[in-house]
Amino acid sequence: STQDIGTEMSALFSSISNLSTNPSSASSRQAVLVAGQNLATAFNTASNTLTAQQAGLNTQVTQDVSQINQLTKQIAALNPQIAAMQAAGQDGGTLKDQQNQLVLSLSKLTNVSVTQSNDGVTLSTGNGTPLVVGTKSFALQTSTDSNGMTTVIDQNGTDITKSISSGDLGGTIQTRDTTIPGLLTQLDTLANQFASAFNNVQTSGTDQNGAAGIDFFKASGSATTISAGNITMKITDPTQIAASTDGTAGGNDNLVNFSNVQTT
């Protein structure tokens, strides 16, 4: 979007550059504060969006497990019907086709192993967890771990979440548990390092009133470590921008140090 982190970061440095031409300008100083808040909001939005996507995928796990159980129940119900038809000298082709379609739908949801026996189709997950044996289907269950994530439990109460590696369910779990947490970690690292670098420049200078600069960014609420989800502005007064290094009200020599953060 036009409010992404990269765009807002560039806008912040652009406002710093504009301020350097007239460090006493109230409107230019206010523009720096606005740009800083917009960048913080962009970080917040990106973090919240990823977290929301993770929550949506968590719900999808439950839905996929429910669908898997419905399919295995239908597949198991067809086994004795097909066996009865074959015992009567009929090939049961229509029912076999129906069962094959159900197995295909199941394989799109998760990795399955298919074998044929006298009792019909036998199905298990990739790690050997039985799903269908003869007339019986073995339903998977879901549980919630300490992080609020939905886990997949087999009929013996064993957590098989990490062994589910393919299909829609496998992809959902991989994205929820690995991809998104990895992106959030990178995003938090960027927000933290950027805020720290910016704050270091701010606190090394003096503001328009000749006072020592205070932090530009902070963590919101009771948090002590800045992350993408909690970064916000600490300074609220345009005169608090530490544009100078020697206490001169109209000085701008510290602004080049802000600009250097961009290349760093």
Side-chain angles (χ1 to χ4, degrees):
S1 71
T2 57
Q3 296 177 313
D4 59 276
I5 293 168
T7 298
E8 298 298 356
M9 192 175 287
S10 295
L12 174 58
F13 287 113
S14 178
S15 70
I16 292 288
S17 178
N18 290 336
L19 179 61
S20 67
T21 63
N22 185 5
S24 299
S25 169
S27 60
S28 294
R29 283 176 170 269
Q30 184 62 39
V32 172
L33 293 190
V34 171
Q37 183 57 61
N38 288 344
L39 175 57
T41 300
F43 270 116
N44 299 159
T45 299
S47 179
N48 292 339
T49 298
L50 284 169
T51 301
Q53 290 174 339
Q54 189 177 40
L57 292 170
N58 201 41
T59 300
Q60 185 63 43
V61 170
T62 302
Q63 295 173 347
D64 282 352
V65 168
S66 176
Q67 192 173 355
I68 287 170
N69 290 338
Q70 292 175 16
L71 290 169
T72 55
K73 186 176 181 180
Q74 294 176 62
I75 292 168
L78 286 172
N79 272 339
Q81 297 179 48
I82 295 171
M85 293 188 71
Q86 290 177 334
Q90 303 175 42
D91 65 3
T94 301
L95 292 181
K96 284 183 179 179
D97 288 343
Q98 182 181 343
Q99 189 178 63
N100 287 338
Q101 286 299 315
L102 292 171
V103 172
L104 181 62
S105 296
L106 180 63
S107 68
K108 292 179 180 179
L109 288 169
T110 186
N111 46 319
V112 291
S113 175
V114 184
T115 57
Q116 290 284 345
S117 69
N118 293 332
D119 293 326
V121 170
T122 298
L123 302 176
S124 63
T125 63
N127 72 327
T129 298
L131 294 174
V132 174
V133 178
T135 61
K136 293 184 178 180
S137 62
F138 299 90
L140 299 176
Q141 306 294 326
T142 57
S143 183
T144 304
D145 65 16
S146 59
N147 296 317
M149 295 295 106
T150 299
T151 57
V152 183
I153 311 297
D154 69 12
Q155 80 280 6
N156 295 318
T158 302
D159 185 344
I160 62 170
T161 309
K162 292 183 178 179
S163 68
I164 300 173
S165 59
S166 64
D168 186 79
L169 180 57
T172 297
I173 292 171
Q174 171 73 18
T175 305
R176 183 197 68 178
D177 294 349
T178 303
T179 305
I180 289 181
L183 290 171
L184 284 169
T185 296
Q186 293 179 54
L187 199 61
D188 287 341
T189 299
L190 176 62
N192 184 273
Q193 292 183 353
F194 176 82
S196 296
F198 218 77
N199 285 347
N200 285 340
V201 175
Q202 169 75 6
T203 55
S204 69
T206 54
D207 66 19
Q208 198 171 14
N209 302 312
I214 63 172
D215 283 346
F216 195 92
F217 294 106
K218 68 171 184 174
S220 62
S222 59
T224 57
T225 301
I226 293 176
S227 67
N230 66 30
I231 185 173
T232 189
M233 295 287 291
K234 182 170 184 177
I235 65 172
T236 57
D237 184 343
T239 65
Q240 292 177 304
I241 298 172
S244 175
T245 58
D246 60 4
T248 304
N252 67 352
D253 48 336
N254 197 37
L255 293 176
V256 67
N257 296 322
F258 281 111
S259 296
N260 289 338
V261 173
Q262 184 173 24
T263 52
T264 302

